Amino acid sequence: MTSKYLTIYNTLVEQIKSGSIPPQTLLPSEHELTDQFQTSRETIRKALNLLSQNGYIQKVRGKGSIVIDVTKLDFPVSGLVSFKELADKMETKPRTNVHELSLIIKPDHSIRQQLQLSAKDQVWKVIRTREIGGKKIILDKDFLNKKYVPSLTEEICGNSIYEYLEKDLSLTISFAKKEIIVEEPTDEDRELLDLEGFQNVVVIKSHVYLEDASLFQYTESRHRPDKFRFVDFARRKR
């Protein structure tokens, strides 16, 4: 016999998947669900905890349980593709907002270390948000060595930096080293992203190299956690 909380869980999952409970709406309160399913509050809490663990709801302090959009975007971990290349495959076309384009004459120690710069090197700093369905859900912070990228414009940053580098500058982007971590949102994240109560962001830190193994770019791509599924393909060596 199926436990009562699993029956409630499965009922709510079907309602979320079918769209009868739309994304970004609040589930009924624990008290209302207790009345609806004629059960105890403890049973309802078990069902809600399972919904949260499996990515169907986000519990937000002071509000309740918000339904998460279960249609997630596949984001390749090992691949080296531009956001524009990913966007071309999406049904809902995203928008790129350029918040900052500046040339740093004297990069601080952290940036010099990340890009292995000399004292004379200058760095382009590009801050962009990616807006999908009217929500800003990615914050991209790019730092590019001016030695390899002599000029940049807001128009280029709003379209595709990689397209510009490869087609206009004839650079060959070869490989990247990536690190994925989960952090609490910074003040900048909260200002520029629509976090809507989320307490974490998924951060992909990338060091990107040219064909001759020159390190030319360091990037932090900061993602709202509910919209992405990070995927990879692995083959066992024999």
Side-chain angles (χ1 to χ4, degrees), residues 163-171:
E163 185 176 290
Y164 166 69
L165 298 183
E166 292 174 328
K167 292 184 177 180
D168 292 63
L169 300 186
S170 299
L171 295 176

Side-chain angles (χ1 to χ4, degrees), residues 75-81 176 178 180 231-234:
F75 208 96
V77 175
S78 60
L80 186 51
V81 297
K178 297 186 179 184
I180 302 176
V231 298
D232 197 1
F233 173 80

Side-chain angles (χ1 to χ4, degrees), residues 200-223:
N200 300 103
V201 290
V202 179
V203 184
I204 302 179
K205 298 182 179 181
S206 303
H207 296 83
V208 190
Y209 297 78
L210 298 174
E211 191 174 34
D212 64 357
S214 297
L215 172 60
F216 81 98
Q217 179 187 21
Y218 170 68
T219 296
E220 285 190 15
S221 190
R222 308 177 69 84
H223 299 250

Side-chain angles (χ1 to χ4, degrees), residues 170-216:
S170 299
L171 295 176
T172 302
I173 302 167
S174 182
F175 64 95
K177 296 178 181 178
K178 297 186 179 184
E179 175 187 5
I180 302 176
I181 58 176
V182 177
E183 295 181 345
E184 290 187 6
T186 64
D187 291 340
E188 184 179 42
D189 293 331
R190 296 190 186 282
E191 177 186 353
L192 296 180
L193 295 177
D194 295 314
L195 291 178
E196 298 178 349
F198 288 95
Q199 301 301 312
N200 300 103
V201 290
V202 179
V203 184
I204 302 179
K205 298 182 179 181
S206 303
H207 296 83
V208 190
Y209 297 78
L210 298 174
E211 191 174 34
D212 64 357
S214 297
L215 172 60
F216 81 98

Side-chain angles (χ1 to χ4, degrees), residues 4 11 93 112 131 137 155 166 183 214:
K4 179 74 171 179
T11 299
K93 295 306 176 186
R112 288 203 311 272
E131 188 175 324
I137 57 177
E155 183 180 1
E166 292 174 328
E183 295 181 345
S214 297

Side-chain angles (χ1 to χ4, degrees), residues 30-162:
E30 288 184 7
H31 178 73
E32 290 169 328
L33 289 171
T34 298
D35 289 343
Q36 179 182 334
F37 289 101
Q38 293 296 295
T39 189
S40 68
R41 181 164 289 191
E42 182 62 29
T43 299
I44 293 298
R45 284 177 180 164
K46 284 185 178 180
L48 293 178
N49 285 337
L50 194 56
L51 286 169
S52 177
Q53 289 170 20
N54 290 334
Y56 290 102
I57 63 171
Q58 172 74 19
K59 293 184 177 181
V60 179
R61 293 174 196 165
K63 287 189 176 181
S65 299
I66 296 177
V67 176
I68 292 173
D69 189 348
V70 293
T71 58
K72 299 191 177 189
L73 304 170
D74 285 349
F75 208 96
V77 175
S78 60
L80 186 51
V81 297
S82 70
F83 184 81
K84 185 175 186 295
E85 290 167 334
L86 288 174
D88 289 342
K89 299 177 182 178
M90 297 179 189
E91 291 183 10
T92 302
K93 295 306 176 186
R95 173 183 172 185
T96 294
N97 307 290
V98 181
H99 296 271
E100 181 180 345
L101 169 60
S102 59
L103 181 61
I104 305 175
I105 306 299
K106 293 183 179 180
D108 63 24
H109 174 73
S110 173
I111 296 303
R112 288 203 311 272
Q113 189 176 40
Q114 294 292 353
L115 283 170
Q116 300 173 14
L117 301 174
S118 72
K120 295 181 180 179
D121 287 324
Q122 300 176 8
V123 174
W124 292 106
K125 178 182 179 181
V126 184
I127 305 294
R128 295 174 291 180
T129 52
R130 315 296 192 166
E131 188 175 324
I132 301 176
K135 300 289 185 181
K136 297 182 182 70
I137 57 177
I138 306 174
L139 170 61
D140 280 337
K141 303 171 67 173
D142 296 287
F143 300 89
L144 301 103
N145 190 336
K146 187 175 184 289
K147 175 181 176 181
Y148 304 103
V149 187
S151 63
L152 269 181
T153 66
E154 284 199 18
E155 183 180 1
I156 291 169
C157 297
N159 182 37
S160 171
I161 293 177
Y162 277 15

